[in-house]
Amino acid sequence: MTSLNDLPLRDDLRGLSPYGAPQLDVPYALNTNENPYPPSERLVKALGEAVAGTAGRLNRYPDRDAVALRADLAAFLNADTPGAGLTAGQVWAANGSNEIIQQILQAFGGPGRSAVGFEPSYSMHPIITRVSGTRWIDAHRDEDFGLEPARAVAAIEEHRPDIVFLTSPNNPTGTALPLESIEAVLEAAPGMVVVDEAYAEFRRAGTPSALTLLPGNPRLIVTRTMSKAFAMAGTRLGYLAADPAVLEALLLVRLPYHLSAVTQAVARTALAHGDELLGSVDRLRAERDAVVAWLRAEGFTVADSDANFVLFGRFADRRRAWEQMLERGVLIREVGPPEWLRVSVGTPEEMAAFRTALTAVKEIS
């Protein structure tokens, strides 16, 4: 039987492992940062009607530029960040934020170019970077998972990257960046600066978005997703806000008709029902803050979180702790720095199961 090693695979891909969290059938899956609250019956009906409305036209290609969807996304961002003043010409959409990142790297990265990130951070950034033929440079975060402006600037001045990735709130730590750090990077970076805000809707009150920095910064890109706060992970819709010139660049690398008519219809319907879908955000924030307080009271070290997950530790053998949680029906994520684990915030019932399982694991560890 032919193995991967027998194929003429690119040399730079040999030895790499595909991305993916474990997909296991367990009572409590708290490992992929999904929103645990499904759409209501009213929204399910609206989504079904939207899909049915496109069914009779599926013999035709969809709107290649997703103009109506981009206008709806711009309206949402303007409501989320008053004063942003975004238009459809400043917003782009694709199949999940990972395709957005891929398109950015195809346009601004590639052979002979480099990208800097500050790890621990989103593990797909280096994966997509390398797959695009771009050199990845890990400049590391601070010990508390923050990023001091001086440290970031020093890394940029040393490496002179073509692309800088900043993640705020950060995954897997949940840490949000102050605007001062982002502004310092923008001033120092010779190329594009990408701020990944996949979890922005969960940020604590008073935590600003990088969207406020877009005016006057044509090399800034802010990415978002509908997978998390909008509870639309199955839709696969990511998007960005940037200067119109950035969108012109992305049009050079995007695949024709990359967003299906069904995806566009479902995403627009979800945005139209945004008040309902985003209604779970406050509940998840409260549950997050409660589990942070509980973990600290139990003696765990916990990273501050502005996301819908919590990174906690420290474990002498985190793999064994992860396995013991799984044995009790609770699947969390073994990710990030050694000695740490991450739990996605779920419903009160799911978080009660998490507490019960972790208490038992702590007692036998």
Side-chain angles (χ1 to χ4, degrees), residues 2-321:
T2 301
S3 72
L4 181 61
N5 291 330
D6 297 321
L7 299 177
L9 185 69
R10 281 167 37 188
D11 290 339
D12 60 328
L13 295 182
R14 292 190 182 279
L16 298 182
S17 299
Y19 172 87
Q23 292 184 303
L24 304 175
D25 185 12
V26 295
Y28 304 100
L30 299 171
N31 68 325
T32 53
N33 301 339
E34 296 161 325
N35 189 317
Y37 296 102
S40 67
E41 291 185 9
R42 181 176 73 94
L43 180 51
V44 168
K45 180 180 179 182
L47 291 167
E49 291 172 350
V51 173
T54 68
R57 302 190 302 276
L58 289 179
N59 59 310
R60 302 294 185 185
Y61 285 115
D63 177 2
R64 184 174 56 215
D65 296 327
V67 174
L69 171 59
R70 288 161 53 203
D72 289 349
L73 288 167
F76 165 71
L77 290 176
N78 289 333
D80 179 70
T81 305
L86 295 168
T87 66
Q90 295 172 272
V91 177
W92 184 244
N95 289 283
S97 57
N98 289 328
E99 187 180 35
I100 290 285
I101 294 164
Q102 182 181 60
Q103 290 176 347
I104 292 169
L105 282 157
Q106 288 173 326
F108 301 106
R113 296 194 172 196
S114 65
V116 158
F118 299 88
E119 298 184 84
S121 193
Y122 182 39
S123 58
M124 280 304 296
H125 288 163
I127 291 174
I128 301 175
T129 295
R130 294 184 181 112
V131 168
S132 73
T134 310
R135 184 167 63 97
W136 174 258
I137 301 166
D138 175 14
H140 305 292
R141 282 183 168 242
D142 302 334
E143 289 297 320
D144 64 354
F145 306 130
L147 185 60
E148 287 295 324
R151 182 189 188 100
V153 168
I156 290 167
E157 290 179 344
E158 177 185 356
H159 298 291
R160 308 302 292 168
D162 298 280
I163 303 172
V164 178
F165 284 103
L166 300 174
T167 312
S168 182
N170 187 43
N171 178 13
T173 68
T175 317
L177 290 176
L179 287 186
E180 292 78 8
S181 294
I182 300 173
E183 288 174 313
V185 168
L186 277 169
E187 186 173 344
M192 306 303 295
V193 176
V194 181
V195 182
D196 187 333
E197 291 193 342
Y199 301 93
E201 291 86 359
F202 296 104
R203 63 193 190 274
R204 289 171 289 184
T207 304
S209 166
L211 291 171
T212 61
L213 300 177
L214 280 174
N217 285 303
R219 291 179 293 102
L220 173 63
I221 301 173
V222 181
T223 68
R224 293 279 188 100
T225 182
M226 293 187 70
S227 295
K228 311 303 181 180
F230 273 93
M232 286 282 130
T235 303
R236 307 307 301 129
L237 198 291
Y239 58 104
L240 64 77
D243 188 271
V246 173
L247 273 66
E248 290 182 37
L250 298 182
L251 287 172
L252 300 174
V253 300
R254 67 92 185 265
L255 295 175
Y257 310 106
H258 68 295
L259 276 180
S260 75
V262 172
T263 296
Q264 293 183 44
V266 169
R268 293 195 69 201
T269 302
L271 286 163
H273 291 76
D275 288 346
E276 174 190 326
L277 288 169
L278 295 172
S280 65
V281 168
D282 284 342
R283 279 181 286 173
L284 291 169
R285 280 182 184 143
E287 198 67 50
R288 172 198 67 202
D289 293 343
V291 77
V292 167
W294 179 82
L295 285 165
R296 286 174 174 163
E298 291 294 311
F300 292 97
T301 303
V302 186
D304 290 336
S305 178
D306 282 278
N308 67 332
F309 55 82
V310 177
L311 188 75
F312 66 101
R314 302 186 174 217
F315 297 92
D317 185 349
R318 75 167 178 181
R319 166 46 65 116
R320 182 58 185 145

